[in-house]
Structures are given as structure tokens and as C-alpha cells.
Amino acid sequence: MNYSYKGKILISTPDISGDIFSRSVVLVIEHNEQGAFGLILNKKNSQMSDKFKDLFEFKIEVYDGGPVENDKVFFIVKGKKVTETFVEITPEFYLTEDIENIISAILNSELNINDVKIFSGYSGWTAMQLDSEIQRKMWTVVDVYNLDYTLPNDQTLWKSIMQNLGGEYLLWANSPEDISLN
């Protein structure tokens, strides 16, 4: 492996349809010789959102981070580091699994809930699997351009990024979700 996609955004191509990665925007948190780890930024999980709503007693969106280990919870946090166990994504954002300190910081008003995005599960690839999928054009790799990872996002994020890429991506952005209807 000569290149790491760590810190990049993966945009699924319309060829990926019918599963969780259909029209997905994935932030690659780690990518090395052993494989890759990322989180889907634009797929809400209503079932997990309801569970967190019961915990906090106000509405919280939880996102499907990916199809792996859906019982694990991850947090992308903007700003203040309220835990010692984290992975820096950028100087402004970090990732943690430290549910106790994050929930405590939110409840104690040390963290604003709008500066936290919650994920159930993650996206994982074995050694060279992501590289192979990119080579087969299942993913388009995009450099991050001032994207706030904690903003609430849905399918419009995928379409918006595709439109900004222009060219053939503009065609993809306007294609139907079921490409067989095209």
C-alpha cells in the first residue's frame, strides 16, 4: 500500500445500490496496511435515535456508521476534548467511544449536543479491500473541504457533493435511487 485515504471522504457510486452503502458519504478515520475504518455520515438510524431519546429525554439523531458491530457506539466531537481516549480526525474534530464521559459532558453542559454526532456501528475493510473497491470505481475519493462532521446530514449530502464534483458526477447526482429505472 503506497497511499492512505485517512481523512478523505468516500462517495459511493450509483453502482452500489440496495445496501447501506447506497448513496453513502463515508469519512475514512483510519487506513493502513491492515485495512480501513470509517463512518457513514449521512444515514440516520431511527431505532437507535429512539433509544438515545429515552436516555436524554430530548431528540437526538443517531447515524448508522456502517454494517460492522452495530452494538458499538462512536462519537465524533467538535471542539473541547472531554476524554483522554480519542483519535484526532482534524485539529477541530475527534472520534471517541467514551460514552460515559461524552454523556456526562453533555448533561453537565460542558459539550453542546450540536457539537456531537453519534454513530451505531462502523464501516470496515480488510487489508487492500478498500483499495480494490476504489480501483473498481465503487467509491469516489474526495478531499475534505470544510465539512462539519457533526452537522445533521441525510441523502442530500451525497447529492450535494456529487453536484459539486461536476461532470459525470452531476449525472449521477440526478440519477434515480434505483438505477435500473434510468
Side-chain angles (χ1 to χ4, degrees):
M1 185 180 105
N2 296 331
Y3 185 78
S4 174
Y5 296 106
K6 180 178 180 173
K8 307 282 187 202
I9 295 287
L10 303 176
I11 309 299
S12 68
T13 61
D15 296 338
I16 300 178
S17 62
D19 69 8
I20 193 169
F21 292 117
S22 176
R23 296 184 181 231
S24 287
V25 177
V26 179
L27 171 62
V28 179
I29 306 292
E30 189 59 62
H31 181 226
N32 56 36
E33 298 81 29
Q34 284 82 45
F37 168 89
L39 295 169
I40 300 173
L41 297 175
N42 66 321
K43 301 278 181 151
K44 293 180 182 176
N45 181 322
S46 57
Q47 192 173 24
M48 286 297 287
S49 296
D50 290 342
K51 288 182 182 180
F52 269 79
K53 180 183 178 188
D54 293 341
L55 178 67
F56 284 103
E57 299 180 357
F58 57 87
K59 186 177 177 168
I60 292 181
E61 296 289 351
V62 177
Y63 290 76
D64 277 323
V68 183
E69 292 191 64
N70 290 326
D71 57 333
K72 281 189 136 183
V73 177
F74 299 90
F75 302 90
I76 291 182
V77 183
K78 178 171 43 174
K80 184 178 181 183
K81 297 190 175 54
V82 296
T83 178
E84 292 182 19
T85 55
F86 65 88
V87 173
E88 186 173 282
I89 299 170
T90 69
E92 188 179 4
F93 296 94
Y94 64 95
L95 173 78
T96 185
E97 293 178 63
D98 188 350
I99 191 167
E100 191 175 306
N101 280 325
I102 295 299
I103 289 175
S104 176
I106 292 168
L107 294 175
N108 293 328
S109 299
E110 293 174 53
L111 271 181
N112 184 322
I113 189 63
N114 296 324
D115 292 334
V116 178
K117 192 165 190 175
I118 305 168
F119 298 88
S120 168
Y122 65 92
S123 301
W125 294 266
T126 58
M128 300 305 293
Q129 182 183 3
L130 179 58
D131 305 83
S132 173
E133 289 180 10
I134 290 169
Q135 208 168 35
R136 292 191 329 259
K137 301 200 183 301
M138 295 173 71
W139 299 100
T140 298
V141 181
V142 179
D143 285 322
V144 180
Y145 55 94
N146 297 328
L147 184 61
D148 184 338
Y149 306 122
T150 59
L151 284 178
N153 290 304
D154 56 18
Q155 289 305 82
T156 59
L157 178 63
W158 180 88
K159 186 173 184 170
S160 172
I161 292 173
M162 284 295 201
Q163 288 172 330
N164 286 336
L165 291 173
E168 72 178 10
Y169 301 104
L170 196 53
L171 293 173
W172 288 353
N174 294 310
S175 68
E177 185 126 6
D178 181 353
I179 59 170
S180 67
L181 298 175
N182 206 6

